[in-house]
Amino acid sequence: MMGQCGITSSKTVLVFLNLIFWAAAGILCYVGAYVFITYDDYDHFFEDMYTLIPAVIIIAVGALLFIIGLIGCCATVRESYCGLTTFVVILLLVFLTEVAVVVLGYIYRAKVEDEVNNSIQKVYDEYNGTNSNAPSRAIDYVQRQLQCCGIHNYSDWKYTHWFEKSKNNSVPTSCCKSTTQSCTGSLIHPEDLYQEGCEALVVKKLKEIMMYVIWTALTFAAIQMLGMLCACVVLCRRSRDPAYELLITGGTYA
């Protein structure tokens, strides 16, 4: 009786987990897409394309979870030995993949600061203030979005090619505080400008994005472990209890 109660509880949890897997698939795809979109906004400050590998893997895992949820539900309801075994094997592979995502996430998170430090000066040197210029669009977007100005502070603009050519003793208007409507970027009124530099904030933003990936992978890896455990309980019950097998198949003792 206790064994039957255990098997019923495991099946109930397993069906519920499969529903969670479907929801998780959507969340994983969303997180992966979010990383891609955000990377596109900051790609001039981060040249290593391999950083997107964790996001690619997470989207692939999300797509696979849709299939896993379907297999798991059908196998659990029908208590198919073959189906549950396939379910456990696929879950194990996905679990190992998510562990790889976590490891890669930590590796690339550690590289973010060096990557930004090596590229940000070059991006600022290529700024020309026109919307047709990609580095200019990237810098203006980042300065408005992160509310920053220059690499370390607004005075860094004095050493850029754009500042030397413009000769108007001002910084781009994207440095202006959103609360100051009459700001022209003039260094005569530095109180109208964002005081914090962009380098540290870009590094912080990219590290936060990578942590989203890491924590998402860890969370769903834990859920998948529970799914594998419940499936194994059902499988072990079937293999060790002939009476339970006969009950499922509708057979009788000889």
Side-chain angles (χ1 to χ4, degrees), residues 10-250:
S10 295
K11 284 174 61 179
T12 303
V13 172
L14 197 52
V15 170
F16 179 70
L17 285 175
N18 283 305
L19 298 177
I20 292 179
F21 289 159
W22 280 330
I27 294 172
L28 288 173
C29 289
Y30 170 80
V31 171
Y34 172 74
V35 173
F36 269 102
I37 293 170
T38 307
Y39 179 88
D40 187 57
D41 294 331
Y42 295 87
D43 62 347
H44 286 83
F45 303 96
F46 203 82
E47 298 177 350
D48 189 356
M49 290 295 292
Y50 292 108
T51 308
L52 289 176
I53 290 178
V56 173
I57 295 175
I58 264 199
I59 291 175
V61 168
L64 187 58
L65 277 180
F66 278 112
I67 301 172
I68 292 175
L70 181 61
I71 294 174
C73 276
C74 293
T76 303
V77 172
R78 298 183 61 184
E79 298 193 18
S80 165
Y81 183 86
C82 180
L84 284 172
T85 302
T86 303
F87 176 70
V88 171
V89 171
I90 296 177
L91 267 187
L92 179 60
L93 293 175
V94 172
F95 173 79
L96 294 175
T97 302
E98 288 183 333
V99 171
V101 168
V102 172
V103 173
L104 288 173
Y106 273 108
I107 290 174
Y108 289 121
R109 187 175 183 272
K111 295 172 62 178
V112 163
E113 190 165 357
D114 289 337
E115 285 284 337
V116 173
N117 291 344
N118 292 336
S119 62
I120 195 168
Q121 183 64 60
K122 177 184 175 182
V123 179
Y124 271 82
D125 286 339
E126 293 176 352
Y127 185 91
N128 65 13
T130 63
N131 196 48
S132 60
N133 179 255
S136 298
R137 291 197 307 271
I139 288 174
D140 286 335
Y141 172 82
V142 166
Q143 291 189 153
R144 290 192 180 98
Q145 190 74 12
L146 301 182
Q147 298 185 348
C148 59
C149 184
I151 298 175
H152 302 102
N153 54 58
Y154 63 85
S155 65
D156 292 327
W157 278 104
K158 295 179 181 180
Y159 311 105
T160 63
H161 299 311
W162 176 82
F163 187 87
E164 293 173 359
K165 290 179 179 179
S166 62
K167 297 180 181 180
N168 59 4
N169 196 36
S170 66
V171 298
T173 55
S174 57
C175 281
C176 294
K177 294 178 180 177
S178 57
T179 54
T180 308
Q181 296 181 356
S182 59
C183 176
T184 61
S186 174
L187 292 176
I188 298 175
H189 301 287
E191 68 278 3
D192 294 341
L193 309 175
Y194 294 124
Q195 303 298 306
E196 194 168 357
C198 294
E199 183 180 49
L201 293 178
V202 169
V203 169
K204 180 182 177 183
K205 181 68 174 180
L206 291 172
K207 285 187 173 183
E208 284 178 354
I209 293 169
M210 202 56 67
M211 282 306 299
Y212 293 152
V213 173
I214 291 170
W215 280 111
T216 301
L218 281 174
T219 300
F220 291 115
I223 294 173
Q224 286 159 24
M225 282 187 67
L226 182 58
M228 286 188 287
L229 178 62
C230 292
C232 287
V233 168
V234 176
L235 286 171
C236 290
R237 175 67 178 174
R238 288 201 55 172
S239 61
R240 292 181 181 179
D241 192 340
Y244 180 76
E245 178 70 23
L246 290 169
L247 178 63
I248 297 301
T249 59

